[in-house]
Amino acid sequence: MRIGLVAVPLLVLVAIAALVPNHPAGRSPAEDTGVFLYAAERLLDGGAPYRDIWDHKLPGVYFVDAVGLALGGRLGIWVLQLVFLVAAVLMGYRALRREFGDVPAFVGSLAWLVASPRLFLEQGQTNFVEFFALPLQFGALLLYTPPLTSARALTIGVLGGAAVLFKPTLVGIWIAIGLVTLVQRRLSATLPILAIVIGALLPLFLVAAWALARGILDLMVDQTLVYNRAYASFMPAETRIDDLIGGLRLTLPSGLVVITLTAWLYAVTTRRWRSPLVQIALVAFPLELVLATFGRGYHYYFLAWLPSMGVLAAYGVSELRRLAPPRLARIALVLGTLAMCVQPSLLVTRLALTHEGERFSGVASYVAANSRPDQTVFIWGSHALVLVLAERLAPTKFVYQYGPLYTRGYSTPALVDQLLADLQRNRPVLILDASMEGFITPPLDSAKFPAWKSVDIQYQALPETAKVIAFIESTYVRDGTEPTTGWPVWRLRAP
């Protein structure tokens, strides 16, 4: 049986299997996901991110999550994730098949696909921005067939602009397309590169116009550009290198990093890079390694590497089939393909059978039972997911505090004062102290606060935070703990 007849159905099945552990049934949203969902809900309620919730992501993920919530709640978001992943698989397979044929395209697609769960799955439902950019990256690769026409270059640019709306550092493939086009066409590269730039500006202009119309453009610039500059510039070089090595290790169990680096070195040393996609991947992969160092080494940052790695894996398979005897090549490919699926299969199976949503759903049930829908609830810490599950609003846009209020180089006394003013003006009926869940939120205790120091040197609460704690202690009374988590609970004092 020719692999081309079954490749697409098999890849789609693998994509579905990879997303099973992310299904919301029995799972609470992950920490970041809770923030994105809260922002998306504000959009659907007629509000606006950056004004009604402080967060440093560009609005692409809020728009996608809002669509998913409107379609079917958290299940709707999961369905959208499945659509995005299948679209990435189909476009990637088609691009690779055009360049290398059925077998390399299948193995290359499977290689990046089975490596992906280790990069986006957690103990909870996730919806990382890098995940949603995958079909945009593969779409650009599919459209890249030199010489670039103006229409295709414009469309590639639109995809790049859309990727920026998820995260600016996801542009490695588009930079590579521009550089390769410039080197190959030189003077005649002006028009296609200009078309790519114009296309990229279109979605950015539309979002800027939307933000201006909502009166949040200045807030969006502050939270997504000013904050992220402070956030990204803090990490020392040795930490960035360690994080980069850690990212490569995450793709080691499936063998993808070994295949990728071997194929990259082989292509560079032998100069066998006639394939347009190989040219793009040779430039894009090191670019993406560098771009991944702008921030922390969180596992999902490295999802952006997968399209380039998939191209290089398919190229490596193509060269193996060209150089090795047919029988030996078939045996090597069968055994290698089976081997690279073993660890990802075990990981997906384990996570699919793990259900740890009861803990935070228990907190949400407690909040819902002890407050009315028209009352606000404040989480001291970084667990906006509780508000999402309980269907309650916060009294402030600071639904998590460590980003705006504790980040060195960004937080100011004025921001802390804004939180205090919000709590004074719109007093929540409940305050839950979730500081024990991490190491960057100070305890809600005026006696312990002066001696508290964050374990992470990038974060430190300002002295003005003491005023917020003092207000809570004078206006609220400690009322035991939440049963499932042990979080201290504070209730408004009787008038």
Side-chain angles (χ1 to χ4, degrees), residues 279-297:
Q279 295 167 8
I280 299 301
L282 288 177
V283 177
F285 183 59
L287 275 174
E288 287 162 344
L289 294 182
V290 173
L291 289 170
T293 65
F294 287 82
R296 298 291 181 109

Side-chain angles (χ1 to χ4, degrees), residues 31 58 77 83 128 155 174 177 274 284 301 303 334 336 368 395 401 492-493:
E31 185 176 309
L58 282 160
I77 292 175
V83 170
F128 298 119
T155 307
W174 287 272
I177 289 175
R274 293 184 60 184
Y301 280 19
L303 283 165
V334 169
Q401 297 87 55
L492 270 172
R493 292 183 182 274

Side-chain angles (χ1 to χ4, degrees), residues 274-465:
R274 293 184 60 184
S275 162
L277 288 192
V278 171
Q279 295 167 8
I280 299 301
L282 288 177
V283 177
F285 183 59
L287 275 174
E288 287 162 344
L289 294 182
V290 173
L291 289 170
T293 65
F294 287 82
R296 298 291 181 109
Y298 296 124
H299 55 97
Y300 45 86
Y301 280 19
F302 312 117
L303 283 165
W305 300 352
L306 294 181
S308 295
M309 298 177 91
V311 171
L312 291 170
Y315 166 71
V317 172
S318 176
E319 288 298 290
L320 173 65
R321 298 179 78 219
R322 184 181 68 85
L323 296 172
R327 179 178 175 81
L328 181 61
R330 282 196 298 271
I331 294 174
L333 286 176
V334 169
L335 294 179
T337 301
L338 292 174
M340 75 180 179
C341 294
V342 172
Q343 195 280 338
S345 299
L346 294 175
L347 173 67
V348 169
T349 301
R350 177 173 61 83
L351 291 177
L353 298 175
T354 301
H355 296 274
E356 296 187 357
E358 293 81 4
R359 187 165 182 263
F360 291 115
S361 62
V363 186
S365 298
Y366 177 89
V367 168
N370 289 271
S371 64
R372 300 193 311 267
D374 62 331
Q375 294 176 319
T376 61
V377 175
F378 183 57
I379 307 296
W380 179 265
S382 54
H383 287 76
L385 64 99
V386 172
L387 300 175
V388 172
L389 294 174
E391 300 182 352
R392 294 293 184 268
L393 294 179
T396 176
K397 70 178 180 180
F398 302 118
V399 297
Y400 67 100
Q401 297 87 55
Y402 69 86
L405 305 183
Y406 309 151
T407 302
R408 296 179 188 269
Y410 178 82
S411 58
T412 64
L415 288 172
V416 179
D417 289 342
Q418 185 178 342
L419 170 62
L420 177 58
D422 290 340
L423 295 177
Q424 291 172 333
R425 180 178 59 255
N426 185 19
R427 299 183 180 186
V429 66
L430 286 177
I431 296 178
L432 280 76
D433 178 9
S435 59
M436 67 174 64
E437 297 290 330
F439 47 83
I440 55 179
T441 299
L444 192 52
D445 187 325
S446 58
K448 296 179 180 178
F449 175 72
W452 179 86
K453 298 293 182 184
S454 170
V455 175
D456 190 327
I457 60 173
Q458 185 168 16
Y459 303 104
Q460 183 59 48
L462 295 175
E464 288 76 11
T465 307

Side-chain angles (χ1 to χ4, degrees), residues 101-117:
D102 288 337
V103 173
F106 174 74
V107 177
S109 298
L110 186 64
W112 75 258
L113 187 56
V114 299
S116 65

Side-chain angles (χ1 to χ4, degrees), residues 69 79 102 137 146 163 172 252 254 270 383 402 443 471:
L69 290 174
V79 171
D102 288 337
Q137 294 173 291
L252 184 59
S254 68
T270 63
H383 287 76
Y402 69 86
F471 166 76

Side-chain angles (χ1 to χ4, degrees), residues 95-165:
L96 296 177
R97 185 180 61 181
R98 180 189 66 207
E99 299 281 323
F100 309 112
D102 288 337
V103 173
F106 174 74
V107 177
S109 298
L110 186 64
W112 75 258
L113 187 56
V114 299
S116 65
R118 194 172 175 86
L119 303 180
F120 76 85
L121 291 180
E122 289 184 354
Q123 299 287 0
Q125 185 183 13
T126 67
N127 63 339
F128 298 119
V129 296
E130 294 83 358
F131 181 94
F132 292 120
L134 287 173
L136 305 177
Q137 294 173 291
F138 279 112
L141 293 175
L142 178 61
L143 289 169
Y144 181 73
T145 53
L148 272 179
T149 64
S150 296
R152 278 189 285 114
L154 187 69
T155 307
I156 288 172
V158 170
L159 295 177
V164 170
L165 292 177

